Amino acid sequence: MTRDPRPIAMSDQPAEKTEKAERRQFRAIKGTRDILPPDSALWNWFEQSAREVFESYNFRDIRTPIFEETSLFARSIGEDTDVVGKEMYTFTVLEQGIDDLRRAQDTIVSYPSPWNSPEHYEVFCRFVERFIEQFRNARSKGLLPKDQFNRLMFENLERDFAEFEGPGSGPTQQLIESVQNHADVIEIGTYLALRPEATASVCRAYIEHGMQTLPGNQKLYYAGPMFRRERPQKGRYRQFYQVGAEVLGPSDAPAIDAEVLEMLLTLFNRVGLANIKLYVNSIGCKECRPKYVELLRAELRKVKDQLKEDSQRRIETNPLRVLDSKLPEEQAIIEKLPRVSEHLCDACREHFSKLKDELALRGVGYEENWRLVRGLDYYTRTTFEVTAAGLGSQNAVCGGGRYDGLVELLGGPAGIKGIGFAIGTDRAILSIQESGKLPKLPGLAVFVAWMGAKAYAPAVAIAKKLRARGLAVELPPEELKFRKSLGLADKLGARYALIIGEDEAASGTFTLKRLADGQQDKLDESALIARVESELRGPNAR
Ligand code: ATP
Ligand code: MG
């Protein structure tokens, strides 16, 4: 990965001056967006539905940080993938208190020639001494990234510096350059990335907290924003949202895969996603996949001339990804390639066939798709994807699969298996909106139309009581004229206007008006509460 030359300074920017000069409006950054009411209610409902379904399968919430070390993602997702290669938001953060070290590093690296002047030489040596001292100091305080490469480069720098022979000497000239080069590659800041997905973070947390010692498999779910620097378009954003689930533990029983898929479809049915299709495949394990990949590569080389640039490159870097190609002119060629299902080892073939039995047992409908390889490196055996209607070419609402070696790859215990998926919440919501089948969500229940100073105290009191029963109540902060009050109740979409005038205040009653049909009743407090609750919560509630 390339080094980020400009670390983020955590100090305040002199922003005031420029802002005064240019009072411009701010807009959300390209590829990000605001989710406003009433849409936000749909989002909450979707995420809440996911929580309820997942918890009914005994999955529990895990919350991991939004940023992690860049190398966590590079190592798990794979350096050669689009996500890591070009889509990650990375930045470098300097710990507080090492600004001087950074300055000393910059000075050494950019120290100008000529070298033969004794003054130049003396000054340079002083800078190197200062750098060495500050580096040691920062390291002992734990302010530097713990990195093998860094340690080595620092040792080399010290060794070269110890051999300096004075100004004007030939050997020193070379040593100086070597010191500069070593100083240049020493990492002072920590490389961080906004998470492009959460599986790597969940595995990191699993390992860090020794969760393998907990009883049974760990069944975890999450919901939150992810970040990828892609070209924004319909269903594709730079900050997008996922809800996902992972099962981590010693077992890789096909019933786990099947349960995960059953749970997924249960959720999609519950939220009413239209035309969903589940595609399933097995891409083998570390025993059989490499052999298949070699075979695929050999076959692809034979037809290289007929493929476009991206696929030509992938023949060498990641031949499985060629199967992902959507280019019409490549389809006929791809159809003739050897299929992974014909090259699975016995164990993988049996796992896949048991998975299919399990899906049948659970009534989970699916289609086999031998070309479903998925974009991330860590998948083994089961892979799957769900598509839905109304999304154009970005029609995948969920992707997932098994990743049996990932925990070990990230430095965790051997033999821990994993499977999981991530649902693209933006796309799921979009599909539901496009289908027009929106759920009926509870809106504003009661608008308290109070008039006259004497009505205010009873209005405040009844609003509080209704709210305590979980009803949404709007209480105007200032007195409104009767017509205006009812007009506003209507515009806000309230179910009822609760009219409290001086009469009602005097008699301790309320006039409840149902806005849909204008029906109006005079009720005392307990009758009012009973009425509102039974209509909003009872069998005829919307
Ligand atoms: P795609 O092929 O559409 O780029 P992907 O394979 O990169 O998807 P995954 O990493 O498997 O996607 O993420 C799972 C789900 O997250 C996708 O099926 C999709 O619904 C959603 N998703 C991925 N990237 C984005 C994005 N940039 N904007 C919105 N949703 C996204
Ligand atoms: Mg993608």
Side-chain angles (χ1 to χ4, degrees), residues 133-262:
E133 188 196 318
Q134 281 171 348
F135 185 92
R136 287 204 187 120
N137 207 344
R139 189 170 57 186
S140 69
K141 288 188 191 150
L143 300 177
L144 295 176
K146 291 187 182 60
D147 187 289
Q148 284 275 66
F149 178 76
N150 244 13
R151 217 189 53 213
L152 199 67
M153 291 303 109
F154 183 66
E155 280 169 13
N156 288 349
L157 181 146
E158 279 184 302
R159 188 201 56 213
D160 290 346
F161 184 52
E163 286 174 20
F164 275 22
E165 285 172 3
S169 90
T172 300
Q173 188 63 32
Q174 268 182 8
L175 289 169
I176 284 172
E177 275 163 32
S178 173
V179 161
Q180 282 189 302
N181 290 338
H182 286 130
D184 194 22
V185 294
I186 286 175
E187 292 174 8
I188 289 186
T190 311
Y191 296 142
L192 303 179
L194 297 183
R195 63 181 186 190
E197 54 113 55
T199 302
S201 307
V202 172
C203 291
R204 196 260 315 128
Y206 179 91
I207 299 164
E208 185 170 338
H209 302 287
M211 289 169 87
Q212 73 278 7
T213 60
L214 298 171
N217 283 325
Q218 288 304 301
K219 299 163 81 173
L220 303 163
Y221 74 84
Y222 58 82
M226 308 293 156
F227 305 85
R228 295 184 195 175
R229 205 176 47 199
E230 308 194 64
R231 190 170 70 76
Q233 51 196 293
K234 182 182 173 189
R236 198 178 284 292
Y237 310 97
R238 291 180 166 186
Q239 174 170 339
F240 62 102
Y241 295 79
Q242 289 184 334
V243 289
E246 317 285 350
V247 183
L248 289 157
S251 169
D252 62 356
I256 298 174
D257 310 36
E259 186 183 77
V260 160
L261 291 169
E262 180 192 309

Side-chain angles (χ1 to χ4, degrees), residues 49-62 202 211 217-222 243-249 255-264 362 384 403 418-422:
S49 304
R51 287 176 192 281
E52 284 169 17
V53 171
F54 296 174
E55 283 176 17
S56 76
Y57 282 80
N58 195 30
F59 281 70
R60 291 175 304 162
D61 195 7
I62 179 167
V202 172
M211 289 169 87
N217 283 325
Q218 288 304 301
K219 299 163 81 173
L220 303 163
Y221 74 84
Y222 58 82
V243 289
E246 317 285 350
V247 183
L248 289 157
I256 298 174
D257 310 36
E259 186 183 77
V260 160
L261 291 169
E262 180 192 309
M263 176 168 93
L264 193 56
R362 292 159 192 262
F384 54 90
Y403 46 84
I419 181 166
F421 62 78

